[in-house]
Amino acid sequence: MEKISIIKVSEKLFIHPGFRDKGCYSSGCRDACCRRGCDVDRESYDMIMEHRENIEGLLGRSIDRCFDREWSGQEDFLGHNSIASTIINGTCPFHTPSGKGCVLWQMVFRNNVPLRIVPSTCRLYPVTWNKGVLDIVDCIEKECSCLDPFNSVTLWDSQKDAINDIFQLNIEP
């Protein structure tokens, strides 16, 4: 599968505290980032549609309500396009109705679905990218475990697997 080209990585990723072993599931965060919805890359969208029946069962609604009508046309996403999720009841439409987390992550953990079903923006959070540069989002939530000053794991270390899966690092020494 094709990856997104990165030409620069912000130094902040190497010094900012990252997630603990279970990512955001190990934090006291109340899924605040889910209130924004997400940009769903084309590869994730296709996998969501492939597993539509199971996802709709977990959500209790049609997937048709989960996406904006128009594709972005932005090519710096997996599959060379993205579509925004809608917001339903103040949160991302894939947020678990019964608690913390996301039904797409549940599909990965419980149904052995490939990780690429989870949109890149969600897998990487709070890491983001723009015009070939990896950086940190500027609105990290205060309750996020990645802000724990006693955490010795950096964002680079905690997000390394997702970074390597999604991006082709074309960085000069």
Side-chain angles (χ1 to χ4, degrees):
M1 292 188 193
E2 204 168 320
K3 296 183 178 186
I4 301 164
S5 179
I6 294 296
I7 56 173
K8 183 179 178 185
V9 176
S10 169
E11 291 180 19
K12 293 184 269 185
L13 270 70
F14 299 100
I15 57 174
H16 196 286
F19 289 108
R20 296 188 184 281
D21 61 345
K22 294 181 183 175
C24 64
Y25 284 97
S26 68
S27 76
C29 173
R30 293 182 215 103
D31 298 338
C33 59
C34 297
R35 289 192 298 260
R36 295 180 194 90
C38 66
D39 291 320
V40 179
D41 53 82
R42 183 67 201 212
E43 285 187 13
S44 296
Y45 178 87
D46 290 345
M47 291 184 80
I48 290 167
M49 290 305 175
E50 181 181 331
H51 297 277
R52 175 185 193 127
E53 190 174 303
N54 287 340
I55 294 169
E56 288 177 338
L58 292 168
L59 290 174
R61 68 175 153 265
S62 170
I63 281 191
D64 296 330
R65 296 185 53 214
C66 296
F67 300 101
D68 281 351
R69 297 179 190 262
E70 301 290 324
W71 287 86
S72 72
Q74 293 178 297
E75 292 191 13
D76 64 338
F77 282 89
L78 295 174
H80 302 291
N81 211 342
S82 70
I83 190 166
S85 70
T86 57
I87 302 294
I88 297 176
N89 298 325
T91 191
C92 176
F94 297 107
H95 190 265
T96 306
S98 61
K100 186 172 183 64
C102 170
V103 299
L104 301 178
W105 281 106
Q106 284 181 8
M107 294 290 294
V108 172
F109 297 138
R110 296 180 185 164
N111 298 53
N112 206 25
V113 172
L115 193 54
R116 287 221 177 167
I117 196 169
V118 179
S120 302
T121 54
C122 302
R123 289 177 54 202
L124 290 163
Y125 188 84
V127 176
T128 189
W129 72 98
N130 187 23
K131 298 179 182 174
V133 179
L134 276 182
D135 205 349
I136 300 173
V137 296
D138 57 3
C139 54
I140 298 174
E141 300 299 327
K142 292 179 181 175
E143 299 160 341
C144 187
S145 68
C146 66
L147 293 178
D148 181 351
F150 301 108
N151 188 1
S152 61
V153 175
T154 66
L155 272 176
W156 179 260
D157 291 330
S158 69
Q159 305 305 78
K160 187 173 17 179
D161 289 344
I163 290 169
N164 287 330
D165 182 47
I166 296 166
F167 300 108
Q168 174 65 45
L169 301 177
N170 298 313
I171 302 165
E172 294 186 26

